[in-house]
Structure formats: C-alpha cells, structure tokens
C-alpha cells in the first residue's frame, strides 16, 4: 500500500503528514502534525510573509522528523513526496516545496506538486472510498469557490468571490471590532447568544443569477454601524451574530441553488470557515430539507493541514501522475 509524505507551507502553518491508501479503500492518516504560527502573527493582526517563511524554514526539518516518528515510519519507506505548489505566499511555498523535492530526489522517489485548493476540495473524502460527483464549496481565508466536481481532477468553476474571501471577511470584521486574529473562531465565539436578526446587513449578490460572491459591502456596512454605539462591547454578540448570519445566508442559498440547477445529490464543504458550527448547522438543515447528502471535512482537516495535501497526492500517485523536479511554485496557481 503506497505511503505518501506531504508538506503544506502555503501560508502561516507548517504541516507534515504521512498517509497510506489504495484505490477503493479508505486512506489512513498515520500522522498529521501542524505547527501553528498564529501567536507569531497575532500582534500584527494578520500574516507577515517574511516572518512566516523564516519560521517555516526553522520548523520544517524537526517537524518532518516528528511526523515520521509519530507514524512509526522510516523515511526510506515513503513511496512519494508531495508539497503544496500554490496558491499561497511565494516565500512560504518555496520552503515546503524545496524540502519535498530534496527528499524525493535524494531517495529516488517521485514528487507531486499539489494545488492547495484541491487539497481543501478533496478533504471531506479522505475517509471515504471514492469521490462522487458533487457540488463543492471551498471557504477559506483566501478563497470562496463554488465548483461542480465530476471526479478528482475534473472540476468546473461555478462562482467565486469578486472581492474578499469569506474567511477574510471574518478576519477583517474581527479586526474592526477589536477581536484578535484569526477572526473566524473569535467571531463565532462572540456570536453565541447574540441576536442574529438585530442588524439587517446586506446579503451581497444573493439574487443575481450567477454564482459569484461579494462580501465587501457587508464589511463596509458593519464598519458604518460601529460609530452608532456608546459601548461596543455590549453590542458585540448581536453584531457578530448578525454578520455571521449574513455570510451564512449567502453561502447556503447560493450553494443550494447550484445543487438544484446542476441536479447534483451531494454537497461538500471545506476550508477554515467550514469549521463554523452555525454554518455547519445551517447547511445541514438546508440539505436535510432538500434530500441532499452533505459531506463535511473532519474538523482537523478544515484549516490548513498536510493530510489533505497527502490525500490529493495519493489520488494522483495511484494514477502514476507525478511531476518533474523543476515544477515551479505558483503563488496564484488556479484550480480550474
Ligand atoms: O483554510 P484555512 O486554514 O486557510 C486558508 O487556506 O485560507 O482558513 C483560515 C480561515 C481564516 O480566515 C479564519 O478566520 C477562518 O478560516 N475560520 C473561521 C472559523 N475558523 C477558522 N471562520 C468562521 N468560523 C470559524 N469557526
Ligand atoms: Zn487553506
């Protein structure tokens, strides 16, 4: 059974995973280690690229050793090495990529350049035996992407964000109201018990016939609401709940329309924002009502991790589709 080692270093997480699997069988994650840089970037309210790449280069080697140890695997047992080749920060991508290529080259094993978005997209299916035709919604800090998936590698883009990504909107609104980075989990926590109907924030492009998204109007609307408060802290739960609901409404309604119009029977969510419990519940409700199967990633696979990169790599490795060592990294690597 092939063993894959994958590295993810596209942004502010250094991650290494080892996974094995065979066609028609569930892939098994033997180890998935993540070294988060959140505390490093927190004082700046966002990711500082130079700090991120410097930290990747410090952390990566010991993290590879820990991951091999956790999996109980010796490096020469690995059959192929994968790394995220984009999209992401160039200086961060280079660190993980160079390491994966170096290990593959030294051991005479194949190398796989993986699209980070494909990693997210396939993450709900890591523990299934196959990837069925479905509508996929990737909602992360950098992307909001709605796709029709026929099979691994066969993707049709239906829509994407015209401005901020869903996670970016969470992060920017959090910063505006004084909540720490990353904004998503902090907004979710603050919204618990808040009144989601209190503020009628705009639902961008909701009634347009296309499947594109826009969150910048929503963000501006939150900004204009702030000066009206004497005591912002007291209003925060309602404000966060109303903002979160506006994002959820748009994502749910557009995705469900895509499911209906394409006559698909399954919808899959991936990316950091899909960790949001209110969002998961809203999607589950909508899917139950329409008789649609909802596939969610395991929470550990929602935010950036290397197991999803290893799984995307495994599917390609099983098809014998490897990449040359001079494959470049690509900060804007498109998925379709
Ligand atoms: O997928 P991810 O780890 O990184 C990218 O590839 O961008 O997603 C990170 C994003 C951040 O914007 C973060 O605020 C958001 O996911 N996020 C959440 C939650 N947890 C993380 N957004 C809403 N609710 C959450 N619970
Ligand atoms: Zn990501």
């Amino acid at each position: 059974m092939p063993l894959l080692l994958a590295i993810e270093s596209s942004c502010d997480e250094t991650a290494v995973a080892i996974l094995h699997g065979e066609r028609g069988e569930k892939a098994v994650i033997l180890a998935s280690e993540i070294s988060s840089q959140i505390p490093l970037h927190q004082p700046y309210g966002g990711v500082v690229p130079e700090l991120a790449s410097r930290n990747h280069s410090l952390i990566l080697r010991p993290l590879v050793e820990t991951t091999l140890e956790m999996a109980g695997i010796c490096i020469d047992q690995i059959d192929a090495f994968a790394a995220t080749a984009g999209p992401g920060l160039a200086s961060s991508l280079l660190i993980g990529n160079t390491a994966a290529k170096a290990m593959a080259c030294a051991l005479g094993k194949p190398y796989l350049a993986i699209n980070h978005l494909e990693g997210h997209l396939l993450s709900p299916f890591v523990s299934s035996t196959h990837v069925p035709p479905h509508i996929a919604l990737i909602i992360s800090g950098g992307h909001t992407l709605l796709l029709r998936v026929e099979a691994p590698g066969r993707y049709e883009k239906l829509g994407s964000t015209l401005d901020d990504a869903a996670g970016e909107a969470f992060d920017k609104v959090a910063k505006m109201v004084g909540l720490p980075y990353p904004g998503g989990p902090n907004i979710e926590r603050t919204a618990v018990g808040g009144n989601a109907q209190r503020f009628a924030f705009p639902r961008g492009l909701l009634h347009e016939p296309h499947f594109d998204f826009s969150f910048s109007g929503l963000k501006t609307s939150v900004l204009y609401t702030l000066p009206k408060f004497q005591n912002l802290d007291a209003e925060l739960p309602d404000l966060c709940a109303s903002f979160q609901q506006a994002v959820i409404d748009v994502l749910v309604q557009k995705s469900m329309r895509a499911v209906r119009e394409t006559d698909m029977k399954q919808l899959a969510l991936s990316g950091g924002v899909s960790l949001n419990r209110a969002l998961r519940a809203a999607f589950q409700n909508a899917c139950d009502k329409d008789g649609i199967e909802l596939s969610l990633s395991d929470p550990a696979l929602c935010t950036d991790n290397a197991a999803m990169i290893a799984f995307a790599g495994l599917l390609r490795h099983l098809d014998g589709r490897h990449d040359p060592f001079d494959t470049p990294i690509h900060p804007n690597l498109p998925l379709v």
Side-chain angles (χ1 to χ4, degrees):
M1 198 177 278
L3 266 172
L4 250 98
L5 185 147
I7 299 176
E8 156 61 39
S9 69
S10 63
C11 191
D12 60 341
E13 318 278 8
T14 323
V16 182
I18 297 173
L19 170 145
H20 71 174
E22 199 51 91
R23 203 179 298 283
E25 287 181 25
K26 289 179 186 172
V28 178
I29 300 167
L30 298 181
S32 179
E33 297 294 307
I34 303 176
S35 169
S36 172
Q37 297 186 10
I38 287 176
L40 197 70
H41 300 281
Q42 217 152 28
Y44 306 95
V47 178
V48 183
E50 172 61 24
L51 270 184
S53 63
R54 233 185 292 167
N55 201 60
H56 285 310
S57 61
L58 286 175
I59 293 293
L60 192 52
R61 186 183 172 144
L63 200 66
V64 167
E65 284 165 359
T66 308
T67 311
L68 285 164
E69 220 170 276
M70 299 294 285
I73 295 290
C74 194
I75 193 160
D76 48 21
Q77 290 175 267
I78 302 289
D79 295 296
F81 292 85
T84 304
L89 300 169
S91 52
S92 288
L93 289 165
L94 266 177
I95 309 288
N97 240 258
T98 310
K101 285 173 180 171
M103 289 188 283
C105 184
L107 295 162
K109 302 287 170 64
Y111 158 76
L112 293 133
I114 304 299
N115 187 309
H116 180 82
L117 294 172
E118 186 168 33
H120 276 305
L121 172 85
L122 297 171
S123 64
F125 301 98
V126 169
S127 55
S128 347
T129 51
H130 90 297
V131 179
H134 67 279
I135 295 297
L137 177 67
I138 306 174
I139 32 179
S140 69
H143 296 86
T144 301
L145 197 53
L146 193 61
L147 300 140
R148 177 190 179 127
V149 176
E150 286 303 330
R154 287 173 55 206
Y155 313 126
E156 179 198 347
K157 179 172 146 183
L158 300 176
S160 62
T161 183
L162 302 179
D163 38 59
D164 293 334
E168 194 179 358
F170 271 93
D171 295 336
K172 287 181 174 170
V173 165
K175 201 169 177 179
M176 256 183 232
V177 301
L179 292 171
Y181 167 85
N186 289 308
I187 290 204
E188 176 175 4
R189 258 191 299 278
T190 311
V192 173
N195 176 2
Q197 318 305 327
R198 166 100 180 272
F199 302 102
F201 290 133
R203 272 69 172 154
L205 308 180
L206 184 59
H207 301 295
E208 298 293 323
H210 55 70
F211 292 109
D212 288 331
F213 301 90
S214 167
F215 296 106
S216 68
L218 167 60
K219 186 185 64 187
T220 310
S221 185
V222 174
L223 182 67
Y224 287 163
T225 309
L226 298 183
K228 296 179 186 154
F229 304 133
Q230 303 272 335
N231 177 3
L232 178 60
D233 282 355
E235 314 290 346
L236 270 186
D238 289 354
L239 195 76
C240 289
S242 300
F243 161 76
Q244 182 173 270
Q245 195 57 51
V247 176
I248 292 173
D249 283 353
V250 174
L251 293 174
V252 169
Q253 290 183 42
K254 287 224 160 188
S255 304
M256 296 312 290
R257 186 160 61 79
V259 168
R260 280 194 300 276
E261 287 186 14
T262 54
D263 212 15
M264 288 282 182
K265 301 283 172 272
Q266 196 158 342
L267 172 66
L269 305 184
S270 60
V273 180
S274 73
L275 267 179
N276 188 287
R277 273 162 290 211
L279 176 134
R280 285 183 172 236
F283 268 100
Q284 193 64 65
N285 259 338
C287 285
D288 289 349
K289 226 163 65 205
D290 288 4
I292 300 300
E293 186 175 340
L294 179 66
S295 300
L296 297 165
S297 306
D298 182 288
L301 299 181
C302 286
T303 46
D304 290 350
N305 65 88
M308 68 183 191
I309 304 301
F311 181 62
L314 174 72
L315 298 185
R316 294 247 310 273
H317 177 70
L318 292 173
D319 282 343
R321 287 166 45 226
H322 302 119
D323 296 295
F325 287 131
D326 61 358
T327 307
I329 55 122
H330 195 329
N332 299 313
L333 186 65
L335 178 59
V336 280

